[in-house]
Amino acid sequence: MNFPRFHVPGHATSLRRSTLAVAAILLTGWISLNSPSTNAAPVRDGAVSADLISEISDIEPAKPFTIALRLSIDPGWHTYWINPGDSGLPTKITWTLPPGFTAGPIQFTYPHRFTVDFGGLKQVGLGYETEAIHLVEITPPADLAPGSTVTLSGRADWLMCDDMQCVPGGADLSLTLSVGTAATPSPDAPAISKARAAQPRPADGWSLSAAASLPKQFTFTITPPAPASLPDPGSITLYPESQGIIDLNAPQRFQSAAGALSLTVPQSPYAAELPPSLAVILISEAGFPDFGGAKAIRISQSPPAAPSATAPATAPASAITPSPAPEPAPSTPAAPPQADSGAPVTVDDDAPFGGGLLGYLIAGFLGGAILNVMPCVFPVISLKILSFVSHAGESRRKVLLHGAAYTVGILMFFLGFAAILIVVQAGWGAFQFQSPAFVMTMAALIVVLSLSLFGVFEFGLKLTGVGGKLTQGSGYAGSFWSGALAVVLATPCTGPFLGSSLGWAFTQPPVVNLTFFTFMGLGMAAPYVLLTAFPALTRWLPRPGVWMETFKQVMGFPMLGAAVYLLWILEGQIGDKGQAFFMGALILLSLAAWSWGRFSHPAASPRSRRTGLATMTLAIIGAVGLSIHATRQTTQANESEGAAADTRPIAEIIDSHRRAGKHVFVDFTARWCAICQTNKPAMYSEETKAAFARYGVEFVVADWTNKSDDIFQFLKKYGRRSVPYYPLFPADLTKGPVELPQNLTNGVILDHLKRLETIDTAFPPAITPAG
């Protein structure tokens, strides 16, 4: 069949053009897929998107070139300059470069000034809004092969803030470039050129001198070489590159005389003297005629001013890791030489009762007694109360023997722990509660005890249920193990009198150390011994009766609460996934306990007993297997969730902030430390946050939930073997820290921050403390 043919004018031409267009698109795509990409897609974290860009597309062997970290910042947010102002942290980059490549420091463009009002507290920040481009010069090796590609990688960290909050941000970035024989500009070259033009020009030949003038004021004198063209002095603003030198809230009025510029400005509240080296930038929107109209110039002090450690120069941006304020950071490359952080001044329990052996033994006794009311020991209170009631009306001899058994249990475990700590040189409460296996064992034991209190099963013993019926001879074992369990649960706590006393004890010979722990154990047993030694005191207790069964079951709930607390500790050691496996193990363990209670009673048939025994055995095996699997999970926890991780030694972190002119408050904490948790509301209150910002205090968290020899050695250096520990370091590196009490309130923290107003008299000299 023949079909009619239709001719469309221009159709063949259009078809050929379309074919060519498709071929061009495919060819372009193929080329893009087989050519190195100059920059990867931006990575977004919070209010900032970050990427690496290059000035050139092809690099040449041994020829330095410029790349940049580009931060695109959401409206209302900002990042910081090398001197962030009253608060904040500068951006940093940690490079991972191919062999032979080197990276220079970050080249910051001149900053903009912004004022942030934190609940009536106005702070001046120096930094960038909308966009920040930080240049870095990269030098490649000479043996690069043309035609190859190289990938530059780095970790960028920054602090981004708006009017209400500051959040640490970061991204892992990379940039792939090709190696050629001639450099070709990249599409990002104009952006880098613009950033280079916004950098302060080195003012070679200009001199800078600075000196204290009127009380709490500095005078800066800047002398340009003659002849020089200066912009209107009223248009110039001076910013030191070091933080914490001048009061940024104060107006600046330059004076011009005899060809020189001078500025007298109030000191920052955080600086008593000038740093040993000083560099400043001058900014004038009118431009500096002698520098091609550049809006910013940089002048270094030469010769340097008289040495002083009160307000050290800011460390390079690449040496500082952002940490939120006050929610830190917080947490190992080789550390640079460190300034001695000084010997502490203890303000609560150092040298208790006049010091000396007797004073420390009294402190140990009272500290042990106070442990009875610490939240760590609360789960055992239910067992103690029931045993008190059950003893009422018994013979005095039997009551005394129970008190003695309880005391022996406490003393044996205290001395056992002390001996282990002496041998392994560990911290009080740390060596066992830093072990996930130990925490799991304690959690499983407490869950089993709570099920027994609920009546799911019976241990075959009554009331305290840890060794036999209290009303029979074997009940003395129950009192013994009740004391032992109390000691185990008390180890994460260091109440009043124990903080420095424990540190002192571990510096003494073994005989003195064991004597201290004996007094500590006697103090913990004292309330129970008094009740058993003086039966008349038990008259205040109710008579035994049916109500005891209800009370026993009610006391199972605090036990479960303690198990939940231990699970929270465990999550900080093995992470969410590991905790889920262990919770499965607890379910199987509960099944085993139920099977024992359901099928092992005397009235059960042999078949039922065998069924119960088989179920219990399989459940226990499954629980053990899941627990072992849980311990193999990756550690995830960090006390400062959401903060940028800082793997540097704690001493280096502290000193880096102090060298930047900041005071430092350190929270030595751990999840297993109950007192540490009760102090959190005071440390994280809005009042405390505002005070930290007002006094220029960096808040650093040292989390000892997991084993850390770095934290242990730091605590040991300052005579501590336990947490909590709260030292406050002044910015002055010639001064040592003061220590806050172990029980914090807003008032206590604010009172100690006021010491920063009189650093010379309120802080001790920095000396090397005894290890």
Side-chain angles (χ1 to χ4, degrees):
M1 181 179 294
N2 295 324
F3 293 95
R5 296 183 178 182
F6 298 94
H7 175 71
V8 179
H11 174 71
T13 303
S14 299
L15 180 61
R16 286 194 296 270
R17 290 176 179 174
S18 299
T19 302
L20 290 174
V22 170
I25 292 173
L26 293 176
L27 179 61
T28 302
W30 183 88
I31 293 174
S32 64
L33 289 174
N34 290 273
S35 300
S37 174
T38 54
N39 56 312
V43 178
R44 186 170 185 84
D45 186 3
V48 173
S49 295
D51 63 340
L52 293 177
I53 60 176
S54 175
E55 189 172 22
I56 57 177
S57 298
D58 299 307
I59 65 174
E60 299 177 74
K63 187 173 182 179
F65 61 96
T66 300
I67 66 173
L69 168 65
R70 178 169 57 190
L71 302 180
S72 299
I73 308 167
D74 288 354
W77 291 78
H78 53 262
T79 59
Y80 290 95
W81 184 49
I82 186 172
N83 173 5
D86 291 335
S87 63
L89 288 172
T91 299
K92 80 154 201 172
I93 308 175
T94 303
W95 292 104
T96 302
L97 300 176
F101 280 77
T102 59
I106 292 179
Q107 303 171 27
F108 288 88
T109 59
Y110 73 86
H112 299 281
R113 183 182 189 275
F114 40 80
T115 302
V116 180
D117 190 340
F118 290 104
L121 177 65
K122 292 187 177 181
Q123 292 191 315
V124 175
L126 301 176
Y128 312 96
E129 298 173 312
T130 305
E131 185 179 66
I133 296 181
H134 302 302
L135 307 187
V136 177
E137 185 177 81
I138 303 292
T139 302
D143 57 355
L144 292 180
S148 62
T149 61
V150 294
T151 299
L152 312 177
S153 302
R155 169 72 185 183
D157 290 287
W158 59 84
L159 188 67
M160 47 190 163
C161 302
D162 65 1
D163 289 344
M164 300 298 295
Q165 60 184 326
C166 287
V167 182
D172 294 311
L173 305 172
S174 64
L175 175 67
T176 300
L177 299 171
S178 60
V179 180
T181 56
T184 56
S186 75
D188 294 310
I192 291 181
S193 296
K194 181 179 178 182
R196 185 177 288 113
Q199 292 199 4
R201 300 284 184 87
D204 297 332
W206 292 50
S207 65
L208 166 68
S209 64
S213 52
L214 298 174
K216 297 187 179 300
Q217 289 188 329
F218 290 134
T219 295
F220 299 87
T221 302
I222 298 166
T223 306
S229 298
L230 297 174
D232 178 11
S235 69
I236 300 176
T237 303
L238 178 147
Y239 294 133
E241 289 187 351
S242 303
Q243 189 178 19
I245 293 181
I246 65 173
D247 183 355
L248 296 174
N249 280 291
Q252 296 187 12
R253 296 183 178 87
F254 272 91
Q255 303 294 326
S256 178
L261 294 172
S262 66
L263 171 68
T264 298
V265 64
Q267 299 177 9
S268 164
Y270 320 127
E273 298 179 6
L274 290 166
S277 60
L278 183 64
V280 302
I281 66 168
L282 301 183
I283 301 175
S284 173
E285 292 300 326
F288 291 86
D290 289 348
F291 297 90
K295 295 183 178 181
I297 61 174
R298 181 181 186 273
I299 309 169
S300 299
Q301 188 178 44
S302 179
S308 168
T310 302
T314 303
S318 58
I320 300 176
T321 298
S323 59
E327 286 91 358
S331 207
T332 305
Q338 310 229 344
D340 194 331
S341 295
V345 170
T346 305
V347 298
D348 63 316
D349 56 4
D350 194 44
F353 304 103
L357 177 61
L358 180 60
Y360 280 106
L361 293 180
I362 294 174
F365 181 89
L366 294 177
I370 293 175
L371 286 177
N372 285 282
V373 295
M374 299 302 291
C376 318
V377 193
F378 183 73
V380 188
I381 292 178
S382 59
L383 304 179
K384 289 182 179 180
I385 293 175
L386 288 173
S387 63
F388 289 155
V389 174
S390 67
H391 293 334
E394 293 185 355
S395 67
R396 184 174 184 182
R397 177 178 177 276
K398 182 173 289 189
V399 172
L400 285 172
L401 288 176
H402 277 296
Y406 178 76
T407 303
V408 170
I410 287 181
L411 290 177
M412 287 190 64
F413 270 68
F414 259 120
L415 294 177
F417 279 140
I420 295 173
L421 295 176
I422 291 172
V423 172
V424 303
Q425 287 290 293
W428 174 249
F431 86 99
Q432 66 270 43
F433 276 89
Q434 287 176 346
S435 166
F438 179 85
V439 176
M440 288 180 180
T441 302
M442 292 304 303
L445 175 61
I446 289 178
V447 168
V448 170
L449 286 175
S450 64
L451 292 176
S452 177
L453 291 173
F454 291 142
V456 174
F457 78 105
E458 296 291 338
F459 271 113
L461 29 113
K462 189 177 180 182
L463 301 178
T464 55
V466 193
K469 294 184 178 180
L470 288 176
T471 56
Q472 301 175 3
S474 62
Y476 300 130
S479 293
F480 174 89
W481 288 109
S482 292
L485 182 60
V487 173
V488 172
L489 292 176
T491 52
C493 291
T494 53
F497 304 112
L498 289 183
S500 61
S501 299
L502 281 169
W504 169 85
F506 283 106
T507 64
Q508 305 304 309
V511 173
V512 177
N513 189 309
L514 295 175
T515 302
F516 174 84
F517 275 91
T518 299
F519 272 74
M520 192 172 167
L522 290 173
M524 189 172 185
Y528 194 99
V529 172
L530 287 174
L531 283 173
T532 56
F534 299 97
L537 296 176
T538 61
R539 295 174 183 173
W540 297 94
L541 298 175
R543 292 182 177 276
V546 178
W547 67 270
M548 293 177 61
E549 182 63 24
T550 301
F551 184 77
K552 177 171 75 74
Q553 294 182 14
V554 170
M555 286 296 99
F557 291 99
M559 298 290 282
L560 286 180
V564 171
Y565 175 56
L566 290 173
L567 287 174
W568 180 68
I569 295 173
L570 192 63
E571 189 271 338
Q573 297 172 329
I574 62 177
D576 297 337
K577 188 176 180 180
Q579 186 187 49
F581 281 115
F582 181 65
M583 292 177 72
L586 291 181
I587 293 175
L588 290 177
L589 189 63
S590 300
L591 174 62
W594 174 83
S595 299
W596 177 259
R598 178 67 178 82
F599 298 109
S600 66
H601 56 86
S605 65
R607 182 177 180 180
S608 294
R609 291 186 181 184
R610 288 193 297 270
T611 300
L613 180 62
T615 303
M616 182 182 69
T617 302
L618 291 175
I620 291 176
I621 292 174
V624 172
L626 285 176
S627 299
I628 293 174
H629 190 64
T631 60
R632 295 174 179 171
Q633 303 307 307
T634 303
T635 301
Q636 295 179 353
N638 190 315
E639 182 70 15
S640 50
E641 285 102 348
D646 194 332
T647 58
R648 294 176 297 167
I650 184 64
E652 181 182 343
I653 295 172
I654 294 171
D655 285 342
S656 68
H657 289 306
R658 298 177 73 192
R659 290 191 180 98
K662 304 288 286 186
H663 312 300
V664 183
F665 178 92
V666 189
D667 172 20
F668 285 90
T669 184
R671 288 193 175 207
W672 40 259
C673 170
I675 303 177
C676 300
Q677 310 315 317
T678 61
N679 287 332
K680 295 297 183 189
M683 285 185 288
Y684 290 90
S685 70
E686 293 301 320
E687 184 180 5
T688 300
K689 291 180 182 180
F692 282 165
R694 183 168 63 253
Y695 283 97
V697 175
E698 287 291 334
F699 184 92
V700 175
V701 173
D703 186 357
W704 208 23
T705 299
N706 299 309
K707 184 177 180 181
S708 169
D709 185 65
D710 172 49
I711 292 179
F712 172 69
Q713 294 299 332
F714 191 95
L715 291 172
K716 182 180 177 182
K717 178 180 180 181
Y718 290 98
R720 295 282 176 161
R721 294 295 185 96
S722 61
V723 292
Y725 176 48
Y726 305 115
L728 174 62
F729 292 86
D732 188 345
L733 292 173
T734 67
K735 297 293 185 179
V738 296
E739 298 175 1
L740 278 69
Q742 290 182 326
N743 296 284
L744 297 182
T745 64
N746 289 337
V748 168
I749 296 175
L750 294 177
D751 286 345
H752 286 81
L753 292 180
K754 291 179 181 178
R755 291 169 175 253
L756 295 171
E757 298 173 359
T758 55
I759 292 177
D760 289 341
T761 57
F763 289 79
I767 60 175
T768 302

